[in-house]
Amino acid sequence: MAAASEVGVDNEKAFIAPASISHFVVRTGKYEETIEWYRKVFDTRTVFESDHITFLSYDFEHHRIAIVRIPDAMPFGDNSAGVDHIAFSMKGIGDLVSTYERLKGFGVVPDLPINHGISVSLYYYDPNGIKIEFAVDNTSLADGPESYFSTQRFAANPIGTIFDPETLRTRYHDGANESDLLQIGLDEG
């Protein structure tokens, strides 16, 4: 992408990056089930709830997730146009493992645990088929996570390698260092 100055845009009025993503909205025909799933997965508090819309938050924000009842809504599918998934960054591998353990305790297990090389990710499908990703960037790469895009490994497999989250959990609790854990599954794939 060209810089603002390269396309004749006054730098005084150049793009200002948003501070963060404020919230996302889920439209669903599975209203109660969806509310319960997001409450469990994000350990939210209910800010507002009615028969038609619910606002949930997991931090200081007035809401991070809104759920809207659409009685005839169709589930999101693999061939649907739209956003593929919503990703949330975790501070470190310990937070990812703790999230895995907490959700597994509720019977919520990842549908796709994958090491992308640039990050280790756990994907969960909500009741509507929307993918929620929890990820940790691969900080063990000497030149940073973006450097992975120029490797032979990425050229050969740009998606990544599926791994066993139980192996990650066990190795974490056995004291493996974070750099080694960030490589999980890459040598097997």
Side-chain angles (χ1 to χ4, degrees), residues 94 97-98 101 166-176 181:
V97 170
S98 292
E101 292 171 333
E166 275 298 307
T167 301
L168 176 65
R169 185 190 70 74
T170 300
R171 288 178 55 197
Y172 173 78
H173 287 297
D174 285 347
L181 294 172

Side-chain angles (χ1 to χ4, degrees), residues 70-114:
I70 308 289
D72 57 352
M74 301 297 294
F76 186 77
D78 288 339
N79 292 324
S80 300
V83 174
D84 182 72
H85 65 278
I86 303 166
F88 294 86
S89 296
M90 306 304 284
K91 291 180 183 174
I93 204 79
D95 288 355
L96 187 66
V97 170
S98 292
T99 298
Y100 166 74
E101 292 171 333
R102 183 179 65 79
L103 294 179
K104 186 178 177 190
F106 291 125
V108 178
V109 295
D111 295 280
L112 182 62
I114 189 163

Side-chain angles (χ1 to χ4, degrees), residues 28-45:
T28 182
K30 300 175 180 180
Y31 189 64
E32 290 81 9
E33 183 181 352
T34 300
I35 292 168
E36 183 61 24
W37 192 88
Y38 281 96
R39 280 181 178 149
K40 284 180 185 174
V41 170
F42 287 95
D43 193 22
T44 63
R45 70 182 191 287

